[in-house]
Amino acid sequence: MKARTESDSVSAVAALADSSRRGVYEYILEAEGPVSRDDVAGALGMVRGTAAFHLDRLAREELLTVSYRRLTGRSGPGSGRPTKLYAPAVREVSVSLPQRHYDLAAELLAAAVENSHRTGAPVDESLRRVAAEAGSAIGEDADNLEQALEKYGFKPENEADGSVVLQNCPFHRLSQSHTATICGLNLDLLSAVTGKTGPAGCTAVLDPAPGRCCVRILPPDPA
């Protein structure tokens, strides 16, 4: 496989600068499976040719993968041409889609080290403190819990039981290699956010699962 250069990344970012094309990309990121040009055109209210143009540009930048499949389920003569389908490629570019906030994680980790040196407190204790302070500040700057979570890329989704799952982890790459530290930071951050903006009695708990953030927000206890 050809190594990606810095100019390749710049080109990918430029491809997403167009708001319509970025909308196409975000739609495909959230789709449950590969989508066709007709799917995109119908969902986003685009002319089919415009949807095809944006999809093929994203595919050229290796932000999407392309496959072909007959959607009729038939094969052989008379079954028609296979449909061109598009799906997200496993690639992050500097604009970070899905949204990432590695800068926030870096600031919290650096602040924790400085606090530890200044006070003599263990680093993990300092990290809990600065993460909670940051979460409180985020909560105070938001009108409600959903707004705070959306702003930082958590993609909240309400469950039938009243809990909120977070479909995106803004610290994804770090959480893969430093799971305990980053998930702990995340929990302390979101506990404070929830305390400031959520309904009384809501709590943030660790509930890791593949493909989403490790934190779930539980509704108030009915008892």
Side-chain angles (χ1 to χ4, degrees):
M1 182 186 298
K2 182 182 72 174
R4 296 189 180 100
T5 64
E6 182 177 353
S7 62
D8 292 331
S9 294
V10 170
S11 180
V13 171
L16 292 167
D18 181 280
S19 59
S20 295
R21 189 173 302 127
R22 183 163 177 157
V24 169
Y25 186 55
E26 290 175 339
Y27 170 75
I28 293 177
L29 284 177
E30 295 178 0
E32 294 183 355
V35 301
S36 68
R37 294 169 174 180
D38 289 333
D39 293 332
V40 173
L44 301 182
M46 287 183 175
V47 176
R48 186 178 186 276
T50 302
F53 172 77
H54 289 316
L55 288 164
D56 289 336
R57 172 66 190 278
L58 293 167
R60 285 198 302 273
E61 299 298 340
E62 299 182 16
L63 293 169
L64 300 180
T65 60
V66 174
S67 60
Y68 294 85
R69 188 172 74 240
R70 286 188 175 89
L71 301 182
T72 61
R74 296 181 297 169
S75 60
S79 58
R81 297 175 60 186
T83 299
K84 192 174 187 178
L85 300 173
Y86 302 83
V90 182
R91 179 183 182 188
E92 282 185 15
V93 293
S94 60
V95 292
S96 292
L97 291 171
Q99 191 176 358
R100 307 298 190 208
H101 279 286
Y102 299 123
D103 54 342
L104 175 59
E107 289 173 7
L108 295 178
L109 291 166
V113 171
E114 291 175 353
N115 180 274
S116 177
H117 286 168
R118 185 174 63 254
T119 65
V123 173
D124 57 347
E125 180 181 314
S126 294
L127 183 56
R128 295 197 66 178
R129 180 180 299 117
V130 299
E133 290 172 355
S136 294
I138 290 171
E140 289 172 357
D141 194 42
D143 294 332
N144 52 58
L145 178 60
E146 182 178 5
Q147 183 187 85
L149 296 172
E150 289 282 4
K151 181 177 180 180
Y152 284 86
F154 285 99
K155 295 183 65 176
E157 185 173 293
N158 294 316
E159 297 281 270
D161 63 359
S163 66
V164 179
V165 295
L166 309 173
Q167 298 296 345
N168 182 52
C169 173
F171 316 123
H172 173 73
R173 191 167 63 245
L174 290 173
S175 71
Q176 301 304 294
S177 51
H178 306 285
T179 304
T181 297
I182 299 303
C183 289
L185 176 159
N186 212 4
L187 178 61
D188 294 325
L189 180 79
L190 292 176
S191 292
V193 171
T194 302
K196 285 290 183 180
T197 61
C202 281
T203 54
V205 299
L206 282 177
D207 182 27
R212 63 171 173 81
C213 176
C214 60
V215 174
R216 178 188 291 265
I217 298 173
L218 301 180
D221 189 337

